[in-house]
Amino acid sequence: MILDLDGMRVYFPYDRIYLEQYQYMRALKRTLDAGGHSLLEMPTGTGKTVCLLSLITSYQHANPGCGKLVYCTRTVPEMDSVMQELGNVLGYRSEMLKKEREAAEAAAEAEGGDEGMDGEGPGGDQGESRKRKRDDPPRPKSNNDTHRMGPITQDGGAGGNGSLALCLSSRRNMCINKRVLRESDREGIDSACRSLTASWALEARKKKSGRGGPPGGSGTAAARGGDDENCCTYFDQFREAGEAISMPSGIYDLESLKEWGKGRGWCPYYLTRQAINHANVLCFNYQYMLDPKVAKMVSKELEAESIVVFDEAHNIDSVCIEAFSVSIHARSLEQATRSLGRLSGEINRVKASDASRLRNEYQNLVQGLVEQGLLGGASDEVALESSVLSNDVISEAVPGNIRRAEHFVAFMKKVVEHLKARLRTVGGPTGGVSSETPLAFLHRMVTATGVE
């Protein structure tokens, strides 16, 4: 049905509406008109989601400058449910707008026809038929009907006005690279993805291949699933496309995003991160808005006029606590020690390589001066001594970034050893639960390790 709510048309995709739903949407509209905040509560099963989506998308349609709808959920199934309901809402609006356009066209044709024919032609039975059809809006499709998901280009696009609705989740839920998906947990998938897409990984591949352009993959490799062990062809082809990438109007849940990205050889995860600035509706997890580490990569560029909805908002406190908490185990500290050992060995290898290269360059310089007669008249011992750099000179010539790396490793080793000692104290026979402020924790660490 189409409601008139304080002068605004609201497209509600069901034949009946509860009084509580009408009151809920009215309170929400007043909040949007005032540009403020609201805390709304409804009993479970009374249709909160469809009320939110119907009212806010109708508000966007009536006020194009109001900004995006950012819908935050707690779990991936909740995200899928929101996108399915959004498909119902925008699908219904598109059908109603189409019927209104057809009715306007029919009325225009009727005005130009024979106005003297009573009960016949466009103004007679056919007009009554159209009126009956307009008064009998279709019920929404069931959640099992997924034809509303993905690109929608007919009838003016999604929602009848070319809307773009996207959802964003972690790499684990959006990756289509077979090699990365062999990892069993989220951390492993994130690490495998970064090893193929990070700037340092791309630079290393670029130097190894000797090509000047960005590393790319062929369409054949993409068709095999982007499973090249040394690169991700989906990400490479996404980078090659650059600014030419655009997403058509539509409603994209996680599965349709993966399907659409795979069909074009583009990474769905990075594709969505780029496209969110052009979307009218975004749906993602709480962390993308609340966790500073994640929000600065995703949500920092959202316009200030955006409408932000936290569904099931009673979970916000636990999400914030989780975002600002870290769990440290003895196993993770042992892994950190081994990683620091490998990093220290790599730094020493690079340092030795630079020192050896410096000695060779100096020897070549001295040999050139001798051959030109510019270093003559000295004894063999003096000449031999003069062609050897002292260790102090070589140490000073080590690049600053390597010296900083050495200092960083030494600092981290002290921190890890301090955490190991604290963990043994807590986990020992005389240990237990202890509580201290962050400032007290830092003061204790500085006192015990001597770090600044």
Side-chain angles (χ1 to χ4, degrees), residues 176 178 217-228 233-234 237 262-266:
I176 54 177
K178 293 181 180 179
S218 65
T220 304
R224 292 196 304 267
D227 52 359
D228 191 314
T233 55
Y234 295 117
Q237 291 181 104
K262 192 172 185 177
R264 283 151 184 79
W266 296 339

PDB file of all heavy atoms in Angstrom, residues 176 178 217-228 233-234 237 262-266:
ATOM      1  N   ILE A 176      36.626 -14.586  -3.756  1.00  0.00           N
ATOM      2  CA  ILE A 176      36.328 -15.621  -4.752  1.00  0.00           C
ATOM      3  C   ILE A 176      37.607 -16.261  -5.274  1.00  0.00           C
ATOM      4  O   ILE A 176      37.555 -17.047  -6.218  1.00  0.00           O
ATOM      5  CB  ILE A 176      35.520 -15.029  -5.923  1.00  0.00           C
ATOM      6  CG1 ILE A 176      36.224 -13.818  -6.522  1.00  0.00           C
ATOM      7  CG2 ILE A 176      34.117 -14.655  -5.471  1.00  0.00           C
ATOM      8  CD1 ILE A 176      35.522 -13.223  -7.732  1.00  0.00           C
ATOM      9  N   LYS A 178      40.338 -18.938  -5.189  1.00  0.00           N
ATOM     10  CA  LYS A 178      40.378 -20.302  -4.652  1.00  0.00           C
ATOM     11  C   LYS A 178      41.563 -20.530  -3.731  1.00  0.00           C
ATOM     12  O   LYS A 178      41.454 -21.239  -2.728  1.00  0.00           O
ATOM     13  CB  LYS A 178      40.405 -21.305  -5.801  1.00  0.00           C
ATOM     14  CG  LYS A 178      39.124 -21.343  -6.624  1.00  0.00           C
ATOM     15  CD  LYS A 178      39.205 -22.377  -7.725  1.00  0.00           C
ATOM     16  CE  LYS A 178      37.921 -22.414  -8.531  1.00  0.00           C
ATOM     17  NZ  LYS A 178      37.983 -23.397  -9.633  1.00  0.00           N
ATOM     18  N   GLY A 217      46.449 -10.022 -14.773  1.00  0.00           N
ATOM     19  CA  GLY A 217      46.232 -11.403 -15.148  1.00  0.00           C
ATOM     20  C   GLY A 217      45.416 -11.479 -16.398  1.00  0.00           C
ATOM     21  O   GLY A 217      44.714 -10.556 -16.786  1.00  0.00           O
ATOM     22  N   SER A 218      45.483 -12.573 -17.064  1.00  0.00           N
ATOM     23  CA  SER A 218      44.730 -12.754 -18.292  1.00  0.00           C
ATOM     24  C   SER A 218      43.333 -13.221 -17.982  1.00  0.00           C
ATOM     25  O   SER A 218      43.046 -13.723 -16.911  1.00  0.00           O
ATOM     26  CB  SER A 218      45.428 -13.784 -19.190  1.00  0.00           C
ATOM     27  OG  SER A 218      45.412 -15.048 -18.562  1.00  0.00           O
ATOM     28  N   GLY A 219      42.461 -13.047 -18.969  1.00  0.00           N
ATOM     29  CA  GLY A 219      41.097 -13.520 -18.798  1.00  0.00           C
ATOM     30  C   GLY A 219      41.048 -15.018 -18.605  1.00  0.00           C
ATOM     31  O   GLY A 219      40.206 -15.544 -17.923  1.00  0.00           O
ATOM     32  N   THR A 220      42.000 -15.738 -19.203  1.00  0.00           N
ATOM     33  CA  THR A 220      42.032 -17.186 -19.039  1.00  0.00           C
ATOM     34  C   THR A 220      42.297 -17.563 -17.598  1.00  0.00           C
ATOM     35  O   THR A 220      41.679 -18.464 -17.039  1.00  0.00           O
ATOM     36  CB  THR A 220      43.118 -17.795 -19.952  1.00  0.00           C
ATOM     37  OG1 THR A 220      42.848 -17.397 -21.290  1.00  0.00           O
ATOM     38  CG2 THR A 220      43.123 -19.293 -19.842  1.00  0.00           C
ATOM     39  N   ALA A 221      43.243 -16.835 -16.970  1.00  0.00           N
ATOM     40  CA  ALA A 221      43.528 -17.119 -15.564  1.00  0.00           C
ATOM     41  C   ALA A 221      42.319 -16.814 -14.699  1.00  0.00           C
ATOM     42  O   ALA A 221      42.011 -17.536 -13.761  1.00  0.00           O
ATOM     43  CB  ALA A 221      44.732 -16.292 -15.102  1.00  0.00           C
ATOM     44  N   ALA A 222      41.602 -15.734 -15.011  1.00  0.00           N
ATOM     45  CA  ALA A 222      40.408 -15.396 -14.233  1.00  0.00           C
ATOM     46  C   ALA A 222      39.342 -16.463 -14.395  1.00  0.00           C
ATOM     47  O   ALA A 222      38.636 -16.804 -13.460  1.00  0.00           O
ATOM     48  CB  ALA A 222      39.868 -14.027 -14.675  1.00  0.00           C
ATOM     49  N   ALA A 223      39.235 -17.012 -15.596  1.00  0.00           N
ATOM     50  CA  ALA A 223      38.233 -18.050 -15.829  1.00  0.00           C
ATOM     51  C   ALA A 223      38.550 -19.308 -15.040  1.00  0.00           C
ATOM     52  O   ALA A 223      37.663 -20.050 -14.658  1.00  0.00           O
ATOM     53  CB  ALA A 223      38.163 -18.361 -17.331  1.00  0.00           C
ATOM     54  N   ARG A 224      39.853 -19.522 -14.762  1.00  0.00           N
ATOM     55  CA  ARG A 224      40.222 -20.690 -13.960  1.00  0.00           C
ATOM     56  C   ARG A 224      39.971 -20.456 -12.483  1.00  0.00           C
ATOM     57  O   ARG A 224      40.175 -21.342 -11.681  1.00  0.00           O
ATOM     58  CB  ARG A 224      41.701 -21.020 -14.177  1.00  0.00           C
ATOM     59  CG  ARG A 224      42.031 -21.532 -15.560  1.00  0.00           C
ATOM     60  CD  ARG A 224      43.398 -22.196 -15.553  1.00  0.00           C
ATOM     61  NE  ARG A 224      44.432 -21.320 -15.076  1.00  0.00           N
ATOM     62  CZ  ARG A 224      45.191 -20.549 -15.868  1.00  0.00           C
ATOM     63  NH1 ARG A 224      44.974 -20.534 -17.171  1.00  0.00           N
ATOM     64  NH2 ARG A 224      46.135 -19.768 -15.361  1.00  0.00           N
ATOM     65  N   GLY A 225      39.550 -19.240 -12.125  1.00  0.00           N
ATOM     66  CA  GLY A 225      39.209 -18.981 -10.731  1.00  0.00           C
ATOM     67  C   GLY A 225      40.212 -18.107 -10.044  1.00  0.00           C
ATOM     68  O   GLY A 225      40.192 -17.975  -8.830  1.00  0.00           O
ATOM     69  N   GLY A 226      41.146 -17.444 -10.753  1.00  0.00           N
ATOM     70  CA  GLY A 226      42.090 -16.553 -10.118  1.00  0.00           C
ATOM     71  C   GLY A 226      42.985 -17.269  -9.137  1.00  0.00           C
ATOM     72  O   GLY A 226      43.356 -16.720  -8.107  1.00  0.00           O
ATOM     73  N   ASP A 227      43.343 -18.530  -9.409  1.00  0.00           N
ATOM     74  CA  ASP A 227      44.069 -19.334  -8.448  1.00  0.00           C
ATOM     75  C   ASP A 227      45.556 -19.382  -8.735  1.00  0.00           C
ATOM     76  O   ASP A 227      46.239 -20.325  -8.360  1.00  0.00           O
ATOM     77  CB  ASP A 227      43.504 -20.762  -8.410  1.00  0.00           C
ATOM     78  CG  ASP A 227      43.433 -21.389  -9.802  1.00  0.00           C
ATOM     79  OD1 ASP A 227      43.809 -20.715 -10.772  1.00  0.00           O
ATOM     80  OD2 ASP A 227      43.007 -22.552  -9.885  1.00  0.00           O
ATOM     81  N   ASP A 228      46.124 -18.382  -9.423  1.00  0.00           N
ATOM     82  CA  ASP A 228      47.557 -18.282  -9.597  1.00  0.00           C
ATOM     83  C   ASP A 228      48.190 -18.152  -8.216  1.00  0.00           C
ATOM     84  O   ASP A 228      47.776 -17.336  -7.402  1.00  0.00           O
ATOM     85  CB  ASP A 228      47.896 -17.056 -10.457  1.00  0.00           C
ATOM     86  CG  ASP A 228      49.353 -17.049 -10.881  1.00  0.00           C
ATOM     87  OD1 ASP A 228      50.209 -17.296 -10.018  1.00  0.00           O
ATOM     88  OD2 ASP A 228      49.613 -16.803 -12.075  1.00  0.00           O
ATOM     89  N   THR A 233      44.288 -12.646  -9.874  1.00  0.00           N
ATOM     90  CA  THR A 233      43.913 -12.024 -11.136  1.00  0.00           C
ATOM     91  C   THR A 233      42.670 -11.149 -10.988  1.00  0.00           C
ATOM     92  O   THR A 233      42.508 -10.164 -11.719  1.00  0.00           O
ATOM     93  CB  THR A 233      43.651 -13.102 -12.198  1.00  0.00           C
ATOM     94  OG1 THR A 233      42.668 -14.018 -11.718  1.00  0.00           O
ATOM     95  CG2 THR A 233      44.916 -13.858 -12.524  1.00  0.00           C
ATOM     96  N   TYR A 234      41.777 -11.487 -10.031  1.00  0.00           N
ATOM     97  CA  TYR A 234      40.599 -10.654  -9.821  1.00  0.00           C
ATOM     98  C   TYR A 234      41.004  -9.264  -9.346  1.00  0.00           C
ATOM     99  O   TYR A 234      40.478  -8.256  -9.814  1.00  0.00           O
ATOM    100  CB  TYR A 234      39.665 -11.310  -8.797  1.00  0.00           C
ATOM    101  CG  TYR A 234      39.088 -12.621  -9.265  1.00  0.00           C
ATOM    102  CD1 TYR A 234      39.373 -13.811  -8.607  1.00  0.00           C
ATOM    103  CD2 TYR A 234      38.260 -12.681 -10.377  1.00  0.00           C
ATOM    104  CE1 TYR A 234      38.843 -15.011  -9.027  1.00  0.00           C
ATOM    105  CE2 TYR A 234      37.726 -13.879 -10.809  1.00  0.00           C
ATOM    106  CZ  TYR A 234      38.021 -15.049 -10.135  1.00  0.00           C
ATOM    107  OH  TYR A 234      37.492 -16.240 -10.564  1.00  0.00           O
ATOM    108  N   GLN A 237      42.990  -7.367 -12.272  1.00  0.00           N
ATOM    109  CA  GLN A 237      42.113  -6.825 -13.315  1.00  0.00           C
ATOM    110  C   GLN A 237      41.244  -5.690 -12.783  1.00  0.00           C
ATOM    111  O   GLN A 237      40.907  -4.757 -13.525  1.00  0.00           O
ATOM    112  CB  GLN A 237      41.247  -7.946 -13.889  1.00  0.00           C
ATOM    113  CG  GLN A 237      42.059  -8.953 -14.691  1.00  0.00           C
ATOM    114  CD  GLN A 237      41.188 -10.049 -15.274  1.00  0.00           C
ATOM    115  OE1 GLN A 237      40.898 -10.057 -16.460  1.00  0.00           O
ATOM    116  NE2 GLN A 237      40.790 -10.987 -14.431  1.00  0.00           N
ATOM    117  N   LYS A 262      32.670 -11.942 -10.185  1.00  0.00           N
ATOM    118  CA  LYS A 262      33.333 -13.061 -10.850  1.00  0.00           C
ATOM    119  C   LYS A 262      33.064 -13.054 -12.340  1.00  0.00           C
ATOM    120  O   LYS A 262      33.953 -13.380 -13.150  1.00  0.00           O
ATOM    121  CB  LYS A 262      32.845 -14.381 -10.230  1.00  0.00           C
ATOM    122  CG  LYS A 262      33.661 -15.596 -10.642  1.00  0.00           C
ATOM    123  CD  LYS A 262      33.248 -16.811  -9.832  1.00  0.00           C
ATOM    124  CE  LYS A 262      34.139 -18.003 -10.150  1.00  0.00           C
ATOM    125  NZ  LYS A 262      33.788 -19.184  -9.316  1.00  0.00           N
ATOM    126  N   GLY A 263      31.868 -12.655 -12.740  1.00  0.00           N
ATOM    127  CA  GLY A 263      31.545 -12.619 -14.160  1.00  0.00           C
ATOM    128  C   GLY A 263      32.361 -11.599 -14.925  1.00  0.00           C
ATOM    129  O   GLY A 263      32.576 -11.747 -16.135  1.00  0.00           O
ATOM    130  N   ARG A 264      32.854 -10.563 -14.242  1.00  0.00           N
ATOM    131  CA  ARG A 264      33.658  -9.533 -14.899  1.00  0.00           C
ATOM    132  C   ARG A 264      35.128  -9.631 -14.554  1.00  0.00           C
ATOM    133  O   ARG A 264      35.932  -8.806 -15.010  1.00  0.00           O
ATOM    134  CB  ARG A 264      33.123  -8.144 -14.513  1.00  0.00           C
ATOM    135  CG  ARG A 264      31.862  -7.808 -15.272  1.00  0.00           C
ATOM    136  CD  ARG A 264      30.959  -6.886 -14.508  1.00  0.00           C
ATOM    137  NE  ARG A 264      29.712  -6.693 -15.262  1.00  0.00           N
ATOM    138  CZ  ARG A 264      28.727  -7.566 -15.288  1.00  0.00           C
ATOM    139  NH1 ARG A 264      28.823  -8.700 -14.610  1.00  0.00           N
ATOM    140  NH2 ARG A 264      27.636  -7.332 -15.997  1.00  0.00           N
ATOM    141  N   GLY A 265      35.495 -10.609 -13.727  1.00  0.00           N
ATOM    142  CA  GLY A 265      36.898 -10.782 -13.378  1.00  0.00           C
ATOM    143  C   GLY A 265      37.394  -9.766 -12.378  1.00  0.00           C
ATOM    144  O   GLY A 265      38.603  -9.500 -12.314  1.00  0.00           O
ATOM    145  N   TRP A 266      36.502  -9.170 -11.566  1.00  0.00           N
ATOM    146  CA  TRP A 266      36.884  -8.162 -10.585  1.00  0.00           C
ATOM    147  C   TRP A 266      36.653  -8.680  -9.171  1.00  0.00           C
ATOM    148  O   TRP A 266      35.706  -9.415  -8.902  1.00  0.00           O
ATOM    149  CB  TRP A 266      36.068  -6.881 -10.780  1.00  0.00           C
ATOM    150  CG  TRP A 266      36.304  -6.194 -12.085  1.00  0.00           C
ATOM    151  CD1 TRP A 266      37.390  -6.320 -12.897  1.00  0.00           C
ATOM    152  CD2 TRP A 266      35.420  -5.275 -12.744  1.00  0.00           C
ATOM    153  NE1 TRP A 266      37.247  -5.532 -14.013  1.00  0.00           N
ATOM    154  CE2 TRP A 266      36.053  -4.875 -13.950  1.00  0.00           C
ATOM    155  CE3 TRP A 266      34.174  -4.741 -12.436  1.00  0.00           C
ATOM    156  CZ2 TRP A 266      35.474  -3.988 -14.840  1.00  0.00           C
ATOM    157  CZ3 TRP A 266      33.596  -3.850 -13.314  1.00  0.00           C
ATOM    158  CH2 TRP A 266      34.241  -3.472 -14.499  1.00  0.00           C
TER     159      TRP A 266
END
